[in-house]
Amino acid sequence: MSKIKESIFDFDLFKRLFEYIKPYKLIFVGLVVLVILLAVFGVATPKITQYAIDESITKKEAQYFLFYIVIMLAVLLLQTVFQLLFIYYASWLGQNLVMDVRVKLFNHLLKFKMQYYDNSSVGVLITRAVTDMERIADIFGQGLFMIIRDLLTMSVVFGVMVYTNVRLSLIVFLMLPILLYATRVFQKYMKKAFEEVRTEVSNLNSFVQERLTGMKILQLFTRESVEIENFKAINERHKKGWLKTVWYNSIFFPLADLSASITIGLVAWYGGLRVVLDGTVTQGVLVSFIMFIPMLFRPLRQIADKFNTLQMGMVAAKRVFKVIDTTSQIDDHGTYVAEHFKGDISFENVYFNYVEDEPVLKGISFHVKAGETAAIVGATGAGKSTIINLLNRFYEINEGVIAVDGINIEQVTLASLRTQIAVVLQDVFLFADTIFNNITLNHPEITEEQVYQAAKAIGIHDFIMTLPNGYQYNVKERGVMLSSGQRQLISFLRAYVTNPSILVLDEATSSVDSYSEQLIQNATDKITKGRTSIVIAHRLATVKKADKIIVMDSGTIVEQGTHEELLKKENGYYKNLYEVQFLQEEVA
């Protein structure tokens, strides 16, 4: 026990959560009133029973008995109504609070640098946004207000018991310190156990999410037997985490029930003697005390149970706020709103690294004039895709300047910069939605007619119309209903329909059929015409058509020029690349 030094309740964290209640103050105040009423009405039933026994049953006077029965029924009815309202609005408040926190979290996630996602598990983030949020809702729906209600009920019961009979109250209170100490120990261990459970839930979610996403790879390389063993190991740790909570519960709750039973026995023994021997305790008082004891011990038992819920919620809230407190956003302090770029691009002595002390770009400089098409070639890992990422400010450069039309892109608002630059990536991502929505990304200003005309302009309208339901065809998760070439065509149309000032293409057609390749080549020619384009070139046809070729190797630019100029360089990097890769393609 001495090893568990953490506070069993984080008041600073709760104070922060409480800030989200402010828009719902009236509901919160109403819940407090309901808590008070429930505590008062809960104590009323034993007292009415006491009076009914002492004033009517013992004295055998029936004239007030019916009155007490009617009063008890009225109290029970009101108690039921208050309980209904309390449970509903406590859960209502929890769900509304969580909705606000979840929106804030998702809005925060939308603004993170790509580097954050490079280093973060998608499964863990999903756990934060979904499972952990539900645990936070339980803080208010099943935890906090329930604990307040139980504490207040115990306080009222305590006062009424002392007022009714001090000696019987002392017998009851002798057992309370034991149960209170056991409750405190229980809460400390449960907090540690729940933190372990939440960690293992995140690990389990991450593992399952990754394996489901990469299922094709697992089956291609027959890794099913290995992965099931890995899953068993993770699942075993998850099970052990939960079993710890079960073990602590199995010790505490029987102990609490035993304490209540012993207390009832002692009160029945001592109170019964007083009823028989000297009359200092009435039958009604004895019965009311037997009714009071569960009302005192059961809330204490429930508080421990609800404290479990509260602690799980607090652990979840701590994890969620850790993400919200993460400062990984691109600094968007630009004041220039770009409505249209001419498209003059320059990189001046740009240095960049994804990992500290492992440079990816080493002082590169180049200039692409407005309307030109620049092809970037080089071996894998040379830094080609990094240039695309930096132009869109997905990452911050370490040194140097990137400018468009002579304006440092850091001075341009992030939204307007990215609006003017369209990117077609090699790895096309499509949402589980219709083709039309994947093209427009639900942009309200892009009409159906604009999409149709853009599709016809780049020559893919006929292809889309061959699909069931045409533009309303649902491509399912990640576009699995389309081939890689078809997904690439949709991404070209997505870029073209926004009418960007600058176009960036990661042109990859190695895994597509000849028909799709021809459509992609035609689409490339159409959408690059008349606008500045940067193309990571994989095909000779694109390289030869480029106004400028930028040759990269190990994060540096080793050559620049046109196709003809670079071929004239003896032992040049591009010439060697052409002879090894591009010339084979041309011969083929």
Side-chain angles (χ1 to χ4, degrees):
M1 185 179 65
S2 60
K3 294 181 180 180
I4 305 175
K5 298 180 180 179
E6 305 101 324
S7 171
I8 61 173
F9 191 80
D10 191 332
F11 285 97
D12 290 334
L13 183 62
F14 180 75
K15 183 179 178 182
R16 184 170 180 182
L17 270 175
F18 208 78
E19 292 293 314
Y20 290 88
I21 292 180
K22 287 182 178 179
Y24 312 104
K25 280 192 244 181
L26 286 177
I27 297 297
F28 180 78
V29 171
L31 284 168
V32 172
V33 172
L34 285 172
V35 164
I36 295 171
L37 289 173
L38 284 170
V40 172
F41 276 79
V43 175
T45 303
K47 291 301 292 182
I48 294 171
T49 303
Q50 174 191 328
Y51 293 136
I53 293 173
D54 289 342
E55 300 297 327
S56 295
I57 296 175
T58 303
K59 296 179 180 180
K60 298 182 179 180
E61 295 180 2
Q63 57 179 334
Y64 294 115
F65 188 70
L66 182 60
F67 170 75
Y68 287 125
I69 294 299
V70 172
I71 292 296
M72 185 176 293
L73 288 173
V75 168
L76 290 173
L77 179 62
L78 287 173
Q79 191 176 10
T80 301
V81 172
F82 294 152
Q83 185 79 354
L84 185 151
L85 292 172
F86 171 75
I87 293 172
Y88 175 78
Y89 280 105
S91 297
W92 183 93
L93 180 63
Q95 289 299 326
N96 276 274
L97 180 144
V98 160
M99 181 184 71
D100 294 342
V101 178
R102 186 183 278 125
V103 168
K104 183 171 183 178
L105 174 66
F106 190 71
N107 185 53
H108 201 62
L109 290 171
L110 288 173
K111 297 176 182 177
F112 276 153
K113 299 176 184 177
M114 289 300 105
Q115 194 164 10
Y116 177 85
Y117 294 104
D118 294 342
N119 300 320
S120 300
S121 164
V122 174
V124 169
L125 293 177
I126 290 173
T127 302
R128 300 292 172 267
V130 181
T131 309
D132 284 343
M133 285 297 177
E134 292 306 316
R135 299 289 77 78
I136 294 175
D138 291 342
I139 291 177
F140 297 93
Q142 301 179 28
L144 175 67
F145 287 112
M146 300 292 186
I147 291 174
I148 294 174
R149 182 196 64 183
D150 290 342
L151 286 174
L152 191 57
T153 299
M154 289 174 63
S155 300
V156 174
V157 169
F158 180 90
V160 173
M161 289 175 75
V162 172
Y163 175 79
T164 303
N165 191 292
V166 175
R167 290 185 178 181
L168 288 179
S169 299
L170 286 174
I171 295 174
V172 176
F173 301 150
L174 283 174
M175 294 296 296
L176 281 180
I178 299 172
L179 194 55
L180 286 171
Y181 177 75
T183 301
R184 182 172 177 81
V185 173
F186 172 71
Q187 289 166 351
K188 285 183 178 181
Y189 278 96
M190 286 301 287
K191 180 180 180 181
K192 185 177 180 181
F194 281 136
E195 287 177 344
E196 183 178 335
V197 166
R198 297 313 308 153
T199 299
E200 294 306 330
V201 167
S202 295
N203 292 339
L204 188 61
N205 286 346
S206 298
F207 183 89
V208 172
Q209 187 271 333
E210 282 189 341
R211 270 58 185 182
L212 291 178
T213 303
M215 186 59 68
K216 183 181 289 186
I217 298 298
L218 297 184
Q219 293 183 355
L220 279 172
F221 289 90
T222 61
R223 303 296 294 172
E224 294 93 336
S225 58
V226 174
E227 292 305 325
I228 193 63
E229 292 304 318
N230 291 337
F231 181 75
K232 285 179 180 177
I234 293 175
N235 215 21
E236 180 68 21
R237 293 198 300 270
H238 178 258
K239 181 195 74 175
K240 286 181 178 178
W242 273 112
L243 284 179
K244 281 186 181 180
T245 69
V246 173
W247 172 243
Y248 298 148
N249 282 322
S250 66
I251 294 174
F252 175 76
F253 291 117
L255 179 63
D257 291 339
L258 178 63
S259 300
S261 299
I262 291 173
T263 305
I264 290 174
L266 290 173
V267 167
W269 168 72
Y270 180 78
L273 287 176
R274 299 281 70 80
V275 170
V276 174
L277 296 178
D278 54 24
T280 54
V281 175
T282 67
Q283 294 178 34
V285 169
L286 180 59
V287 171
S288 68
F289 260 75
I290 291 174
M291 295 176 70
F292 275 135
I293 290 169
M295 294 180 65
L296 188 65
F297 280 72
R298 186 174 61 247
L300 188 59
R301 180 186 186 280
Q302 289 177 341
I303 286 173
D305 192 22
K306 298 304 179 185
F307 208 91
N308 295 345
T309 301
L310 184 62
Q311 285 189 326
M312 286 190 74
M314 297 298 278
V315 170
K318 185 176 181 180
R319 295 175 184 274
V320 169
F321 283 128
K322 184 178 180 181
V323 177
I324 291 177
D325 292 338
T326 300
T327 54
S328 184
Q329 293 82 5
I330 295 289
D331 293 329
D332 189 11
H333 301 312
T335 56
Y336 179 77
V337 179
E339 296 182 359
H340 181 75
F341 285 133
K342 292 179 181 178
D344 193 271
I345 301 172
S346 64
F347 275 57
E348 299 176 11
N349 202 33
V350 173
Y351 286 84
F352 173 76
N353 56 267
Y354 293 104
V355 180
E356 192 173 355
D357 297 326
E358 295 182 18
V360 176
L361 298 183
K362 306 168 185 176
I364 69 166
S365 299
F366 66 86
H367 180 217
V368 181
K369 296 178 182 178
E372 282 188 342
T373 295
I376 305 177
V377 300
T380 301
K384 304 186 298 295
S385 295
T386 300
I387 289 177
I388 294 176
N389 290 330
L390 296 182
L391 182 61
N392 282 275
R393 291 197 69 198
F394 288 138
Y395 300 86
E396 298 280 26
I397 61 176
N398 301 111
E399 292 182 40
V401 174
I402 302 173
V404 178
D405 293 351
I407 304 170
N408 189 326
I409 60 173
E410 293 181 3
Q411 298 174 4
V412 183
T413 61
L414 204 56
S416 67
L417 173 70
R418 291 177 179 171
T419 299
Q420 294 302 314
I421 302 175
V423 181
V424 178
L425 296 173
Q426 179 178 349
D427 183 17
V428 179
F429 186 92
L430 298 181
F431 295 93
D433 206 336
T434 63
I435 286 180
F436 180 82
N437 288 339
N438 269 291
I439 293 167
T440 64
L441 296 178
N442 297 300
H443 196 298
E445 296 179 6
I446 300 177
T447 65
E448 289 186 12
E449 185 59 30
Q450 285 176 301
V451 173
Y452 298 157
Q453 292 303 319
K456 290 175 182 177
I458 64 175
I460 66 172
H461 175 75
D462 292 340
F463 139 67
I464 295 175
M465 294 307 295
T466 62
L467 299 171
N469 298 321
Y471 288 87
Q472 298 307 313
Y473 180 63
N474 193 310
V475 301
K476 306 300 181 183
E477 188 174 0
R478 299 183 68 89
V480 295
M481 301 304 292
L482 301 177
S483 68
S484 58
Q486 290 171 331
R487 291 196 296 270
Q488 194 81 39
L489 289 168
I490 298 302
S491 70
F492 271 89
L493 183 53
R494 178 194 286 169
Y496 184 66
V497 78
T498 61
N499 192 29
S501 302
I502 297 170
L503 188 68
V504 180
L505 302 177
D506 191 349
E507 185 218 34
T509 57
S510 57
S511 60
V512 303
D513 58 85
S514 58
Y515 174 71
S516 296
E517 181 178 351
Q518 185 59 49
L519 287 177
I520 290 172
Q521 189 59 57
N522 293 339
T524 301
D525 294 341
K526 180 66 179 180
I527 67 176
T528 57
K529 187 176 180 180
R531 59 168 55 90
T532 306
S533 303
I534 296 178
V535 183
I536 296 179
H538 300 266
R539 309 294 288 182
L540 177 62
T542 304
V543 176
K544 293 175 70 173
K545 290 178 183 177
D547 299 302
K548 176 183 290 186
I549 300 171
I550 300 170
V551 187
M552 298 191 66
D553 182 41
S554 301
T556 61
I557 295 176
V558 292
E559 292 174 352
Q560 293 189 60
T562 64
H563 176 68
E564 290 76 14
E565 290 171 348
L566 294 176
L567 284 181
K568 293 177 182 178
K569 293 187 177 182
E570 289 296 326
N571 296 319
Y573 189 101
Y574 178 79
K575 184 177 181 180
N576 292 333
L577 182 67
Y578 172 77
E579 291 173 349
V580 172
Q581 177 181 335
F582 295 140
L583 190 58
Q584 293 179 0
E585 176 189 336
E586 189 172 38
V587 171

